[in-house]
């Protein structure tokens, strides 16, 4: 009977050990399932995060390219404006230069005409003086001769 009791005790211990082992194995399976689920979630989160980062980077690149294009367009417009202003300035310079030259030519022409008019008046004055001298000389000659016919 002691042997039977001992066997029975050994069987119960064996059963308890097997139950504990099975319980531990079940816990390990559950833990493994949870770990695998966490890994899957981690992978999906990782992929989702990677997709978000890619989208953000693409948006950043697109915005950067748009800004660069905007700056390039503004610079082109500015360069075009500068070119137009330079052309207008050159045109105005040429026009102003032509006007100044024309005014100087007109002034020179007027001066020459005025100078010629003065010379002509001077010659007329000299002729009149000469005529008056001749008349005076003839009158003085006439008065010396005492003739009435002068």
């Amino acid at each position: 009977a002691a042997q039977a009791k001992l066997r029975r005790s050994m069987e119960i211990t064996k059963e308890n050990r097997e139950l504990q082992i099975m319980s531990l194995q079940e816990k390990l399976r559950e833990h493994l399932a949870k770990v695998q689920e966490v890994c899957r979630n981690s992978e999906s989160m990782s992929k989702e995060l990677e997709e978000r980062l890619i989208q953000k980077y693409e948006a950043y690149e697109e915005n950067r390219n748009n800004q660069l294009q905007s700056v390039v367009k503004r610079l082109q417009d500015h360069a075009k404006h500068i070119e137009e202003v330079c052309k207008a300035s050159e045109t105005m310079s040429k026009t102003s230069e032509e006007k100044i030259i024309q005014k100087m030519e007109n002034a020179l022409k007027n001066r020459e005409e005025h100078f010629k008019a003065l010379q002509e008046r001077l010659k007329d004055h000299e002729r009149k003086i000469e005529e008056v001298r001749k008349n005076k000389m003839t009158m003085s000659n006439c008065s010396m001769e005492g003739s009435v016919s002068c």
Side-chain angles (χ1 to χ4, degrees):
Q3 273 192 345
K5 201 175 183 183
L6 188 58
R7 271 192 196 153
R8 177 81 181 127
S9 173
M10 295 249 318
E11 284 178 12
I12 290 175
T13 306
K14 186 177 180 183
E15 284 178 14
N16 283 342
R17 196 177 332 135
E18 285 176 0
L19 285 175
Q20 280 182 344
I21 289 174
M22 286 174 46
S23 172
L24 285 174
Q25 286 177 342
E26 184 60 31
K27 284 182 182 179
L28 282 174
R29 279 190 212 106
E30 288 175 5
H31 182 70
L32 180 63
K34 286 181 183 179
V35 167
Q36 287 174 344
E37 184 179 339
V38 167
C39 284
R40 281 192 300 272
N41 287 342
S42 173
E43 287 176 5
S44 68
M45 293 277 278
S46 174
K47 286 180 183 178
E48 186 178 321
L49 183 60
E50 184 179 353
E51 288 175 6
R52 282 187 201 164
L53 288 174
I54 288 172
Q55 288 175 350
K56 283 184 180 182
Y57 181 74
E58 288 173 352
Y60 165 78
E61 281 295 318
E62 186 176 334
N63 287 339
R64 183 173 175 260
N65 288 336
N66 288 341
Q67 286 179 341
L68 284 175
Q69 288 174 353
S70 173
V71 168
V72 167
K73 181 161 178 22
R74 282 197 339 243
L75 288 174
Q76 287 173 343
D77 290 346
H78 185 67
K80 184 178 178 184
H81 177 70
I82 289 173
E83 187 176 319
E84 290 172 356
V85 168
C86 287
K87 285 181 181 178
S89 175
E90 286 178 17
T91 304
M92 285 180 62
S93 292
K94 288 179 183 177
T95 305
S96 298
E97 185 178 345
E98 290 172 0
K99 284 182 181 179
I100 290 171
I101 290 173
Q102 184 66 36
K103 284 182 180 180
M104 290 175 69
E105 288 174 352
N106 286 341
L108 184 62
K109 182 179 174 184
N110 289 341
R111 184 177 176 208
E112 288 174 355
E113 288 175 2
H114 185 65
F115 184 69
K116 285 180 184 178
L118 282 175
Q119 282 181 331
E120 188 64 36
R121 281 176 50 202
L122 186 61
K123 284 181 184 179
D124 286 345
H125 187 65
E126 285 177 3
R127 277 188 231 130
K128 284 183 183 179
I129 290 174
E130 192 61 38
E131 193 175 308
V132 168
R133 276 190 196 142
K134 283 182 184 178
N135 285 343
K136 192 175 179 183
M137 288 294 273
T138 38
M139 285 182 111
S140 73
N141 282 341
C142 277
S143 63
M144 281 190 184
E145 292 177 4
S147 66
V148 184
S149 62
C150 289

